[in-house]
Amino acid sequence: MAAGLLLKLVGFCFWAVFWLGGAATVSTNAGAGGEAVVVDARSAIAVTDEDFVCATLDWWPPDKCDYGTCSWGLATLLNLDLSNKILLNAVKAFSPLKLRLGGSLQDVLIYDNGDPRQLCTPFTKNSSAMFGFTQGCLPLHRWDELNVFFQKSGAKIIFGLNALNGRVPMPDGSLGGPWNYTNAASFIRYTVSKGYDIHGWELGNELSGSGVGARVDADQYAADVLALKQIIDTSYQGHASKPMVIAPGGFFDAAWFTDLISKTKPNQMDVITHHIYNLGPGVDTHLIDKILDPSYLDGEAGTFSSLQGILKSAGTSTIAWVGEAGGAYNSGHHLVTDSFVFSFWYLDQLGMSSKYDTKTYCRQTLIGGNYGLLNTTTFEPNPDYYSALLWHRLMGTNVLSTTFNSMNKIRAYAHCARESKGITLLLINLSGNNTNHIYVTSEGTGAQPYSTKREGRRPYRTKGGRRFGHIPGLGEEAQLIREEYHLTPKDGNLQSQHVLLNGNVLAPDANGDIPKLEPVKVEGTQPITVAPYSIVFAHIPSFYAPACR
């Protein structure tokens, strides 16, 4: 016992010399058996919404087909089984999940107003019509049913309005003339009268820039956004809060977006939304190659950076969201955009977009097509559902500068931990060959590095500007324990629709309950092991992070 006490005292003196002698950072050279992720936690580089993760629901009928495959089934707003337990529990698990209701057909959708003179007919396939379908209608009884589900699940709703009513063809090929908002205004008033809670009303879908199927000039669009703002102000007069005014739900075009922002500033438009399908068509046979290519993933950073720059220089209160992102357009690709491999793209998008002050990111879709977070027919979560849920529960709003220079096949992102101390680090290994052993260190104390090779220990906490590791036997062990969540594909198959968390398959139980997402606890002085083709969330409560106070 005396010998043990002596060892403790020697250990204490060893660590005290380093701690009292001055601030120190971590040495993570290869000779010490690891690589370094450097996190600057002195201040946040961006801030996201608390409910950053968002998903979409679309309008497509069952006979919407792409490349000979009809992938939507009964999984859209007009036909979804709202009584399904997995569906309800999957949305409730986020508490809350933003749901954006919209898509291509929203601009040919009218709303039932209870007037028997206005026919409320469903979409009908017509190859000569825009997007291949005639005008459709949302019955009021279906809107009522949807809102019962939204209230039960606690979802926050963004509704995409038809922005093409009243437009006429222009000489340049665009559609012009003011938006005829009569039907939309009636629908908004009905929604208010029923007490349905709407987080935001979004005008139009993919009509910005060169448009998809149709386009509207930015000047006219700005005037229509102002009209929507007036409708909302009037309809919600006397309410404690009003829904957000959101537009345009289209692909980023710098000049067009700049015009829209300048003509709606400083506070007429709350959110500007853009869409991302940077992997190309769902029929592309090289989708997996693109997903695993770091240089290809990096290509989307230019869009986020450009939009952030426009907003910063405009003198506006408008913020940026990704309003719809399915990666591969035309409904995605089965066993790619609904399988494990797509979590590499999806989580990288969440990490990258948040660095550029994107406040919300809406995934296409919650269910439907080949890119749903949930399986279109069974409602069971696909791998990306669990990736999204882990992000939502672990990654806080404050975004931290994070660098990893050892190899570009590792993607690294860090945020302040959500509702907890320290930080959460996300590591994505795009390599199928390399297992990485990664240490985490902090940036910016101006200290000289030192190596704590003795007993393999490495500090990552600072106190009063001084870093120290754990002191053996003196009560620091509990504070240096971290929690890790390792995601890998079932049977090592990147195209599996089942994901393992720390080696265990994730699936709802017989009652449709979403499984608990349990971490493994690891001694914090040990490196984070990132297996080939895997994803790791690491919650590090002992990381000293002034930005997270």
Side-chain angles (χ1 to χ4, degrees):
M1 185 172 181
L5 179 59
L6 179 61
L7 284 173
K8 287 185 179 182
L9 291 173
V10 170
F12 174 77
C13 292
F14 170 78
W15 289 103
V17 165
F18 281 110
W19 184 39
L20 297 173
T25 59
V26 180
S27 170
T28 54
N29 52 59
E35 299 159 301
V37 166
V38 182
V39 178
D40 187 344
R42 292 171 294 178
S43 60
I45 59 171
V47 179
T48 70
D49 286 342
E50 286 277 354
D51 43 14
F52 173 71
V53 173
C54 165
T56 70
L57 287 169
D58 216 310
W59 297 105
W60 290 116
D63 49 351
K64 152 69 172 172
C65 306
D66 300 281
Y67 320 117
T69 300
C70 307
S71 60
W72 287 86
L74 301 177
T76 62
L77 287 159
L78 293 172
N79 52 35
L80 186 62
D81 178 7
L82 301 175
S83 67
N84 185 277
K85 290 182 179 180
I86 298 177
L87 177 66
L88 177 63
N89 291 333
V91 177
K92 287 177 69 174
F94 282 84
S95 299
L97 177 65
K98 281 184 181 136
L99 289 177
R100 181 251 185 180
L101 317 184
S104 298
L105 294 185
Q106 79 179 54
D107 287 315
V108 289
L109 179 74
I110 61 169
Y111 320 109
D112 186 7
N113 61 8
D115 185 346
R117 293 172 296 178
Q118 177 186 288
L119 296 179
C120 190
T121 56
F123 292 113
T124 302
K125 201 169 185 65
N126 184 336
S127 59
S128 63
M130 187 170 71
F131 303 119
F133 289 89
T134 61
Q135 178 180 277
C137 177
L138 171 61
L140 287 182
H141 70 83
R142 182 59 177 178
W143 183 229
D144 295 336
E145 293 169 356
L146 286 165
N147 277 279
V148 170
F149 173 80
F150 299 149
Q151 290 168 4
K152 283 183 181 178
S153 64
K156 296 173 73 170
I157 302 305
I158 297 93
F159 191 95
L161 294 164
N162 180 343
L164 286 186
N165 273 347
R167 308 291 187 190
V168 294
M170 303 298 287
D172 64 357
S174 67
L175 293 177
W179 172 46
N180 182 344
Y181 51 75
T182 304
N183 184 237
S186 174
F187 179 65
I188 291 173
R189 289 193 298 270
Y190 175 82
T191 301
V192 174
S193 72
K194 298 289 286 188
Y196 298 151
D197 190 10
I198 302 296
H199 188 65
W201 294 98
E202 183 179 32
L203 183 63
N205 183 82
E206 297 178 356
L207 302 174
S208 58
S210 58
V212 178
R215 61 187 176 92
V216 177
D217 178 82
D219 287 351
Q220 180 59 60
Y221 217 94
D224 300 330
V225 169
L226 297 181
L228 175 59
K229 167 72 171 172
Q230 182 60 45
I231 293 167
I232 292 174
D233 286 346
T234 301
S235 300
Y236 288 87
Q237 190 171 9
H239 286 68
S241 61
K242 298 174 183 176
M244 288 180 159
V245 178
I246 303 172
F251 290 100
F252 178 71
D253 178 295
W256 197 99
F257 272 52
T258 298
D259 285 348
L260 180 65
I261 291 166
S262 68
K263 291 176 173 62
T264 54
K265 69 179 185 182
N267 55 12
Q268 299 298 299
M269 182 173 64
D270 298 302
V271 181
I272 191 162
T273 46
H274 65 106
H275 293 181
I276 296 175
Y277 288 90
N278 61 323
L279 297 175
V283 74
D284 190 339
T285 57
H286 300 287
L287 291 176
I288 293 177
D289 295 334
K290 292 178 179 179
I291 291 166
L292 298 176
D293 182 351
S295 62
Y296 197 94
L297 297 179
D298 287 338
E300 195 61 29
T303 295
F304 296 124
S305 178
S306 295
L307 182 52
Q308 182 188 41
I310 292 169
L311 291 172
K312 280 185 174 180
S313 62
T316 180
S317 62
T318 302
I319 59 174
W321 289 8
V322 172
E324 180 184 314
Y329 58 82
N330 290 344
S331 305
H333 189 116
H334 182 45
L335 297 183
V336 178
T337 54
D338 53 4
S339 71
F340 179 84
V341 72
F342 206 50
S343 280
F344 294 138
W345 176 86
Y346 180 40
L347 287 173
D348 191 67
Q349 279 281 300
L350 296 183
M352 183 187 298
S353 64
S354 64
K355 285 170 53 178
Y356 292 98
D357 219 30
T358 302
K359 302 300 185 183
T360 289
Y361 191 106
C362 299
R363 164 63 179 264
Q364 174 83 346
T365 60
L366 173 65
I367 187 168
N370 287 316
Y371 34 36
L373 297 179
L374 306 179
N375 184 285
T376 300
T377 55
T378 68
F379 292 81
E380 290 208 10
N382 287 322
D384 280 2
Y385 173 84
Y386 295 110
S387 296
L389 189 56
L390 281 170
W391 176 288
H392 178 75
R393 291 181 177 178
L394 297 172
M395 305 290 271
T397 58
N398 284 5
V399 187
L400 306 175
S401 174
T402 309
T403 56
F404 181 74
N405 297 320
S406 180
M407 61 176 292
N408 67 355
K409 285 285 188 174
I410 290 284
R411 315 285 283 184
Y413 300 98
H415 286 218
C416 292
R418 187 179 178 95
E419 299 178 358
S420 181
K421 294 180 180 179
I423 68 169
T424 300
L425 178 68
L426 168 62
L427 298 169
I428 304 168
N429 190 356
L430 301 176
S431 170
N433 301 314
N434 297 316
T435 296
N436 294 81
H437 302 283
I438 295 174
Y439 291 96
V440 189
T441 186
S442 55
E443 172 77 36
T445 61
Q448 294 299 313
Y450 75 96
S451 175
T452 57
K453 294 181 184 178
R454 186 173 306 192
E455 298 183 42
R457 303 194 182 281
R458 293 169 182 270
Y460 37 52
R461 194 170 69 148
T462 68
K463 186 175 184 179
R466 302 176 184 275
R467 277 185 181 73
F468 59 100
H470 114 132
I471 302 172
L474 293 180
E476 287 291 325
E477 288 96 333
Q479 295 186 45
L480 284 182
I481 295 295
R482 68 171 178 264
E483 297 176 330
E484 294 181 0
Y485 304 76
H486 293 253
L487 298 176
T488 53
K490 185 180 179 183
D491 300 325
N493 177 13
L494 284 180
Q495 292 180 263
S496 174
Q497 291 187 280
H498 297 281
V499 61
L500 308 183
L501 174 60
N502 300 322
N504 300 309
V505 175
L506 292 175
D509 65 17
N511 295 319
D513 292 327
I514 301 301
K516 292 183 179 180
L517 305 181
E518 301 285 359
V520 291
K521 297 185 184 297
V522 181
E523 185 187 2
T525 56
Q526 299 304 308
I528 301 169
T529 299
V530 188
Y533 287 148
S534 75
I535 295 162
V536 181
F537 287 90
H539 172 219
I540 309 173
S542 55
F543 196 101
Y544 179 68
C548 305
R549 290 174 178 168

